[in-house]
Amino acid sequence: MASIGQIVARTPSGEVLSRAQQRAMLVPDCLVEARRIANTVISGWHGRRKRGIGENFWQFRPYSQGESMSRIDWRRSARDDHTYVRDREWEAAHTIWLWADLSPSMMYKSTLGAVSKESRALVLMLALAEILARSGERIGCPGVMEPVSARNAAERLATAIMLSPLAEGLPNTGMIRSSSDLVLIGDFLDPADKVMERLGPLARRGLRGHVVEIADPAEEVFPYAGRTEFTDPETGEKLTAGRAEIIREDYQRAYRARRDSLGEGLRHLGWTFTPHRTDRPASEALVAVHMYLSGMPGRATHGGLL
């Protein structure tokens, strides 16, 4: 049977620089793609604006009994029989931490996927940074970049990723305050209970979390048949199946169970969960996460999942 997918083997410790250079070459293209997607998604949107203390006008709304009379806009109110209040836009920037898993398992790409999981994760992270920066939010990346409030936050983040040392596993979040949002993008292929062991304490600290699970189509549908050798990209361990098609249903059942368990655990914490496949447009996951961050009701769109 022809090869369906491939991985880049774990980089030996003596060749870490080579692996870092490969990532640095990938990031600029991902930034360009992220900006293209962000421009498409943000068209017609008004960002994460909300009522509060500031100088910029936001909206007129009906006066509510008990509010200060000084907030009434008498000129607008004189136009009809209602009394209106002039709201100003909240100007206090919110901090949103973005993180993408760049471990060896994310380097997988099958013939069914449009891009590697690593590439899609980087594009989503940088596109989110682009959109949120335009809304005036503070953007940071645990262990990579301190929060900044700047229009070029996505470019700064891309540069920081290229220069940061290689790291595996979930990031150190000790520097994140409880009032922040945390967006985690990765494949989360570890058993659900192990993932929840890491994320549970973050939720108990008061962090608002949003998990985006990146999957290659081959990881879901298991299109393998005949004698097939599987390699764990994290450990290098190999498994050979004489007739891979025989275990397809058992594999798919286990895969769904792991995802369902993870999603249920995250919802129990009050976090959001967005599965996303690399054969789907990146904008689908981007819109879903942006809606969650904006506090808008809705559900993730992830067509084609098992």
Side-chain angles (χ1 to χ4, degrees), residues 123-136:
V123 165
L124 286 176
M125 180 170 66
L126 295 173
L128 273 172
E130 182 77 13
I131 290 178
L132 295 170
R134 296 186 192 185
S135 300

Side-chain angles (χ1 to χ4, degrees), residues 16 28-29 50 56 133 143 173 233 244 260 278:
V16 171
D29 288 341
K50 48 191 173 183
N56 298 324
T173 58
D260 291 345
T278 57

Side-chain angles (χ1 to χ4, degrees), residues 98-132:
L98 307 175
W99 174 82
D101 182 6
L102 303 179
S103 62
S105 69
M106 294 293 291
M107 299 173 68
Y108 181 76
K109 176 188 178 303
S110 74
T111 56
L112 305 181
V115 294
S116 69
K117 294 187 291 182
E118 178 187 42
S119 176
R120 180 54 55 86
L122 283 169
V123 165
L124 286 176
M125 180 170 66
L126 295 173
L128 273 172
E130 182 77 13
I131 290 178
L132 295 170

